[in-house]
Amino acid sequence: MTQETPAADAAHQHQIAPSEPQPPDLDAEDPRTQLQARLRTVLVGLPAFFEFNNDISGVEATDLHALNTLLGASIEGQVVKALNQQRGLWDPYDEWLGFTFERQSQRFPDVLLTRKGGDDGPTIALGIELKGWFLLAKEGEPSFRFGTTPAACAEHDLLVVVPWYLDNVLSGNPAAAEPFVVSARWAAEYRNFYWEHTRKVRGENVDRSVRRPTGARPYPTKDVLTLDVPGHDGGGNFGRVARISGLMDEFVQQANSLQVLGIPVRDWNSFLRIHSDQADPVEVRRRLLQQLDQRGSLLTTRKVERLRPLLQAFIDAWEEEDV
């Protein structure tokens, strides 16, 4: 097993930051470049291909966040299934016959486009690090960690984050929204750049270094180290890409603006955060109706009339459970 070596010494923390990382400059003549471009288009339209025929019901509002763990793997499996079903879109000229998307557990990347049966083992076209994000999870942002070192990312590999929700908010079928799609190598390089040079820290002697594993390479075997390790991470935030300024801020904002049953996701999250197992029903009612009245000047009368009975119905249902 390889050993980790320091990538940056704490003594150089105050040097001028290098240029911000840029996505790989892909060879336009490489068939994988054209393949990746078509895959990006398919992934953007993924919600139209997403199928999940198991109806979810009986989940209490305060337990919704648990769905991220319970259904996360199933959601990712559905994405792989949808990609294989849309072969005609990403391989219209049959250039990748025999290649299929397959998941692999506990290894980077989560999904490989691969062809088996060769004399030298499977042939890998590219990989996808695939993450699901349940939009009504408590954090209001993706909570996964991406700590893979850049050297383990092939230049055509992608990082894909798929937001999803239940079509009736508290029940129904999972539905996908437009995903976040970027170069996995660029995301890893940008994460390290942010950690070492641009993040705000308290104190002058904070160790900003990132230790990169030696010997890392694309599509490694299980015995090869592939994770970067921060010199100091008191808050446990290294790899939380949703908290890296400039990486996916705009995507998170757009996803939280998605309307479900006519109400933005961020407002559903606000409603659910007010509720808790210990919340006082009277106080909850007061705060919710107060917020609606405060926002009333920003909404049309028609929207307020639609929101108030929905809000009241949720309050009444919650109070009945509490009795």
Side-chain angles (χ1 to χ4, degrees):
M1 186 171 291
T2 56
Q3 299 294 319
E4 295 177 349
T5 59
D9 190 272
H12 301 293
Q13 290 176 7
H14 301 294
Q15 290 183 348
I16 298 175
S19 300
E20 184 176 295
Q22 299 298 318
D25 185 14
L26 303 178
D27 180 2
E29 300 301 320
D30 189 328
R32 292 171 298 175
T33 300
Q34 301 164 29
L35 168 67
Q36 191 215 65
R38 291 193 290 265
L39 277 174
R40 284 174 174 264
T41 300
V42 173
L43 286 163
V44 168
L46 188 67
F49 312 134
F50 197 75
E51 295 181 2
F52 200 100
N53 297 320
N54 293 336
D55 189 79
I56 306 300
S57 61
V59 181
E60 293 195 10
T62 52
D63 293 330
L64 268 182
H65 61 90
L67 289 180
N68 204 39
T69 300
L70 293 173
L71 294 179
S74 296
I75 298 300
E76 293 170 12
Q78 285 295 317
V79 174
V80 174
K81 179 181 177 181
L83 287 174
N84 282 323
Q85 290 177 336
Q86 303 305 317
R87 171 178 294 276
L89 296 179
W90 54 263
D91 186 22
Y93 307 114
D94 294 333
E95 298 170 294
W96 300 94
L97 289 176
F99 284 82
T100 57
F101 285 98
E102 296 183 359
R103 297 182 66 198
Q104 58 175 4
S105 60
Q106 307 302 318
R107 294 170 64 183
F108 173 85
D110 297 310
V111 178
L112 294 174
L113 179 59
T114 181
R115 181 179 61 195
K116 296 181 178 179
D119 294 337
D120 299 324
T123 301
I124 300 172
L126 55 75
I128 297 175
E129 183 69 357
L130 180 61
K131 304 296 182 184
W133 169 28
F134 180 47
L135 289 175
L136 293 184
K138 287 182 177 180
E139 296 88 350
E141 65 183 17
S143 61
F144 70 89
R145 285 174 171 78
F146 177 57
T148 303
T149 192
C153 305
E155 62 179 2
H156 290 90
D157 289 350
L158 296 172
L159 171 64
V160 176
V161 183
V162 181
W164 65 278
Y165 57 95
L166 297 182
D167 56 10
N168 286 316
V169 183
L170 299 181
S171 63
N173 285 312
E178 183 175 323
F180 175 75
V181 183
V182 294
S183 161
R185 180 182 291 182
W186 173 77
E189 291 174 344
Y190 194 96
R191 175 204 62 220
N192 288 354
F193 173 82
Y194 166 81
W195 192 263
E196 293 176 322
H197 302 290
T198 62
R199 68 187 172 104
K200 296 179 180 179
V201 296
R202 294 182 180 180
E204 297 182 356
N205 297 317
V206 176
D207 185 357
R208 289 178 172 268
S209 68
V210 175
R211 295 190 296 273
R212 297 166 173 80
T214 60
R217 61 185 184 276
Y219 319 125
T221 54
K222 288 186 177 181
D223 61 334
V224 177
L225 294 177
T226 60
L227 296 180
D228 285 343
V229 180
H232 175 74
D233 184 12
N237 287 316
F238 183 75
R240 290 287 298 270
V241 295
R243 297 184 179 182
I244 296 175
S245 177
L247 186 56
M248 56 189 311
D249 315 60
E250 185 177 347
F251 166 75
V252 171
Q253 292 177 5
Q254 290 177 347
N256 280 316
S257 298
L258 176 71
Q259 294 202 354
V260 183
L261 298 182
I263 300 175
V265 165
R266 66 168 59 90
D267 290 346
W268 286 116
N269 269 320
S270 177
F271 169 81
L272 293 169
R273 278 195 293 269
I274 291 174
H275 280 290
S276 69
D277 293 336
Q278 294 80 32
D280 176 67
V282 175
E283 176 62 16
V284 169
R285 178 194 294 267
R286 184 191 67 79
R287 289 178 62 187
L288 288 172
L289 294 177
Q290 181 183 54
Q291 286 186 8
L292 180 59
D293 290 338
Q294 289 174 344
R295 294 193 62 187
S297 60
L298 303 176
L299 302 172
T300 64
T301 302
R302 183 177 180 181
K303 283 188 176 181
V304 172
E305 290 175 349
R306 290 179 59 197
L307 287 171
R308 185 174 284 275
L310 284 170
L311 184 58
Q312 189 64 57
F314 269 100
I315 294 172
D316 293 342
W318 186 80
E319 291 178 351
E320 288 175 6
E321 290 290 333
D322 193 59
V323 173

